[in-house]
């Protein structure tokens, strides 16, 4: 079966055989050189979108990005489609985010419109050569993120580049080259030109990566944190230091932990204390999903319960431990709590119990209430809850005992 890389090389070969220049471009070249598997391969060429479509056939191409010079070429079922982009130079940027127009040009100018040197290289898979007009290979060796050309001008064109730079630095463990960092620090307030969706997507990627501590540190150092975080959540510099220490202590449990929710919960929990509705502001500012927002809220609420859960009644603790985010909440408790060792050990051991121990089926149901002549109403839930608590706390062990308890309620 063909790999994505082989298909990308096929596409490149076919373009070259037809007399065009065609090269792997951008992120995939960077990832190849770093020994990482690229998410996707992009091909850049001097063929125009029309020529690309003619060469590969209209059935095997999609013109989704045609206005930017991008044609999607479909491959066999086993591979991802490849985006073939005509070398381009971007026209003016009047909105601080997207080029007003694009003009087709050559490889060098196409490299120069890209954001960072490590993202600005080409690779010819047929001759195995890197084509590097922007010094990307040097910066890969130096492990640094450097804007192509004048950093401030490049940020002015597209403010999203500031967050991308921080993300690449964090996730690759690179530094941000001094001029590039200074430009971000100066231009950070302009990040508001970027849509909440894009800001949120970048932050979620950073907080979902193992380098989340570095990401937070770089967000602060670059002045971006104070701009992307809604005012109401901003603490003093001292609290930023505390958050950093807490994130440093955060160990994400293998497998079942909701890392992004855990990280954000740590970053915002003190602001949320006693402030109902505040989380909605964050949800809006970063266009977080309902699911992620609920997880963050749930984790923040779980912290006080789980912090001393071994001293609480089981019927109170159990509903928290059967929740999908319980592991993430325990990870957070371990990072932020004091004197929590016994509770966390207790809770982690309980979570591992088989379902019939951790969360046994209820002994009675609403139907049993109806059968015993209790009229359906708001107290139904209270009654069932009281029987459930009795069951969990070991006061009621059998269905007979449960039905007897119903009769007394
Ligand atoms: P990843 O896919 O891991 O996020 P990437 O570098 O491949 O990283 P993409 O968004 O897939 O990022 O973009 C592909 C290439 O397009 C980049 O490597 C870069 O050369 C260029 N690029 C993407 N976004 C920008 C931007 N905002 N400004 C300038 N060039 C960009
Ligand atoms: Mg990519």
């Amino acid at each position: 079966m063909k790999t994505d890389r082989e298909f990308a090389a096929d596409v490149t070969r076919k373009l070259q055989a037809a007399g065009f220049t065609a090269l792997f471009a951008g992120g995939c070249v960077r990832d190849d050189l770093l020994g990482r598997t690229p998410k996707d391969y992009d091909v850049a060429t001097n063929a125009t979108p029309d020529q690309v479509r003619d060469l590969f056939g209209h059935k095997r191409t999609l013109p989704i990005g045609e206005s930017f010079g991008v044609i999607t070429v479909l491959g066999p079922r086993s591979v991802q489609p490849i985006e073939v982009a005509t070398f381009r130079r971007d026209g003016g940027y009047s909105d601080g985010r997207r080029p007003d127009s694009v003009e087709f040009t050559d490889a060098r100018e196409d490299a120069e419109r890209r954001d960072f040197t490590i993202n600005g290289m080409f690779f010819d898979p047929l001759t195995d050569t890197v084509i590097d007009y922007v010094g990307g290979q040097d910066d890969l060796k130096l492990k640094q993120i450097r804007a192509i050309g004048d950093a401030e001008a490049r940020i002015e064109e597209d403010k999203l580049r500031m967050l991308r730079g921080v993300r690449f630095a964090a996730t690759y463990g690179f530094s941000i080259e001094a001029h590039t960092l200074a430009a971000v620090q100066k231009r950070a307030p302009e990040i508001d030109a970027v849509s909440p969706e894009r800001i949120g997507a970048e932050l979620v990627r950073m907080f979902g990566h193992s380098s989340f501590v570095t990401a937070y540190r770089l967000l602060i150092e670059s002045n971006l944190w104070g701009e992307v975080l809604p005012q109401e959540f901003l603490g003093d510099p001292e609290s930023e230091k505390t958050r950093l220490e807490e994130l440093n202590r955060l160990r994400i449990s293998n497998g079942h932990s909701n890392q992004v929710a855990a990280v954000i919960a740590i970053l915002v929990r003190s602001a949320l204390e006693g402030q109902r509705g505040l989380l909605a502001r964050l949800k809006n500012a970063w266009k977080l999903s309902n699911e992620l927002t609920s997880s963050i809220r749930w984790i923040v609420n779980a912290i006080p319960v789980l912090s001393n859960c071994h001293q609480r009644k089981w019927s109170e603790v159990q509903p928290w431990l059967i929740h999908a985010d319980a592991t993430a909440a325990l990870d957070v408790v371990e990072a932020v709590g004091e004197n929590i060792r016994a509770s966390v050990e207790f809770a982690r051991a309980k979570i591992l119990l088989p379902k019939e121990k951790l969360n046994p089926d209820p002994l009675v149901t609403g139907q049993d209430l109806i059968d015993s002549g209790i009229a359906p109403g708001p107290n139904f839930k209270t009654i069932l809850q009281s029987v459930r608590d009795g069951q969990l706390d070991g006061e009621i062990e059998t269905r007979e005992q449960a039905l007897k308890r119903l009769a007394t309620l």
Side-chain angles (χ1 to χ4, degrees):
M1 230 166 26
K2 217 176 263 294
T3 62
D4 287 342
R5 194 176 201 286
E6 283 162 352
F7 177 56
D10 289 349
V11 170
T12 307
R13 188 177 303 113
K14 185 160 173 157
L15 281 157
Q16 289 193 12
F20 297 110
T21 306
L23 301 163
F24 289 0
C28 64
V29 179
R30 171 202 69 213
D31 289 341
D32 265 352
L33 292 173
L34 284 171
R36 295 162 188 260
T37 308
K39 273 202 326 241
D40 39 45
Y41 286 85
D42 295 319
V43 170
T45 179
N46 64 347
T48 63
D50 283 343
Q51 289 170 322
V52 174
R53 291 208 80 184
D54 287 345
L55 185 64
F56 290 93
H58 281 233
K59 278 198 188 134
R60 288 185 51 207
T61 54
L62 302 170
I64 306 170
E66 197 167 8
S67 59
F68 300 108
V70 181
I71 296 293
T72 304
V73 178
L74 307 172
R77 206 169 313 159
S78 65
V79 306
Q80 289 188 70
I82 299 283
E83 292 195 339
V84 176
T86 307
F87 295 136
R88 68 175 195 255
R89 143 180 8 111
D90 294 332
Y93 288 77
S94 46
D95 66 352
R97 204 21 223 116
R98 279 169 211 290
D100 302 328
S101 62
V102 303
E103 285 166 59
F104 299 139
T105 175
D106 57 14
R108 178 184 293 274
E109 279 195 318
D110 186 78
E112 285 166 356
R113 66 150 180 105
R114 294 169 185 270
D115 48 4
F116 301 104
T117 59
I118 63 164
N119 292 345
M121 294 177 279
F122 300 105
F123 180 76
D124 186 336
L126 306 181
T127 59
D128 242 344
T129 39
V130 177
I131 296 122
D132 180 7
Y133 298 109
V134 295
Q137 291 177 102
D138 291 341
D139 286 328
L140 273 186
K141 283 195 198 99
L142 293 169
K143 292 174 160 276
Q144 68 177 6
I145 303 300
R146 184 161 62 90
I148 295 174
D150 179 55
E152 248 191 275
R154 304 311 310 285
I155 288 170
E156 237 196 310
E157 289 169 353
D158 177 359
K159 330 278 183 184
L160 177 66
R161 290 171 186 160
M162 295 192 277
L163 275 175
R164 281 175 55 90
V166 167
R167 168 163 63 82
F168 289 122
T171 55
Y172 292 144
F174 282 22
S175 61
I176 305 177
E177 175 274 329
H179 291 97
T180 305
L181 178 60
V184 177
Q185 287 168 329
K186 182 169 165 198
R187 297 279 172 178
E190 298 168 22
I191 196 69
D192 63 0
V194 177
S195 72
E197 287 83 353
R198 296 305 302 258
I199 292 177
E202 288 292 332
L203 293 173
V204 164
R205 280 185 77 174
M206 287 187 233
F207 294 151
H209 191 269
S210 56
S211 59
F212 59 85
V213 181
T214 311
Y216 179 62
R217 199 172 44 70
L218 287 176
L219 284 166
I220 292 174
E221 194 185 345
S222 63
N223 297 342
L224 284 167
W225 186 241
E227 304 296 332
V228 294
L229 189 70
Q231 281 295 314
E232 307 90 307
F233 289 86
L234 277 178
D236 48 32
E238 203 47 42
S239 75
E240 282 179 354
K241 233 177 90 192
T242 312
R243 299 290 91 78
L244 191 57
E245 285 162 12
E246 291 170 346
L247 285 188
N248 246 315
R249 284 195 296 268
L250 179 62
R251 296 286 168 277
I252 297 295
S253 297
N254 275 337
H256 301 295
S257 188
N258 187 342
Q259 174 175 325
V260 174
V263 169
I264 298 179
I266 287 180
L267 293 177
V268 302
R269 74 189 171 98
S270 61
L272 292 181
E273 265 161 32
Q275 297 280 332
R276 285 182 66 86
L278 196 53
L279 194 57
R281 295 284 250 279
L282 194 71
K283 179 177 198 268
N284 253 329
W286 297 348
K287 285 286 173 286
L288 301 177
S289 67
N290 293 336
E291 203 186 351
L292 179 54
T293 311
S294 321
S295 288
I296 297 165
R297 180 180 294 115
W298 187 89
I299 290 171
V300 169
N301 290 337
I303 296 171
V305 182
L306 296 181
S307 293
N308 55 12
C309 61
H310 75 303
Q311 292 163 331
R312 293 173 186 254
K313 279 183 108 173
W314 178 237
S315 58
E316 186 191 354
V317 177
Q318 188 266 5
W320 295 90
L321 294 184
I322 60 174
H323 192 277
D325 290 319
T327 300
L330 287 168
D331 293 346
V332 170
V333 167
E334 272 191 306
V336 307
E338 279 166 39
N339 300 321
I340 42 74
R341 180 149 305 272
S343 277
V344 171
E345 273 172 22
F346 169 86
R348 292 210 191 271
K350 291 290 188 192
I351 287 180
L352 293 176
L353 288 174
K355 182 195 173 273
E356 65 271 18
K357 285 251 165 58
L358 176 63
N359 193 22
D361 290 336
L363 293 168
V364 292
T365 64
Q367 190 56 48
D368 293 314
L369 263 64
I370 294 168
D371 293 347
S372 57
I374 303 170
N379 58 344
F380 244 54
K381 222 180 131 193
T382 325
I383 296 172
L384 284 174
Q385 190 61 52
S386 130
V387 178
R388 177 67 172 165
D389 289 353
Q391 177 191 4
L392 290 172
D393 290 332
E395 296 153 10
I396 305 172
E397 286 175 0
T398 63
R399 183 169 156 78
E400 286 63 45
Q401 288 170 349
L403 291 170
K404 213 183 261 167
R405 168 79 79 101
L406 280 188
T408 70
L409 288 168

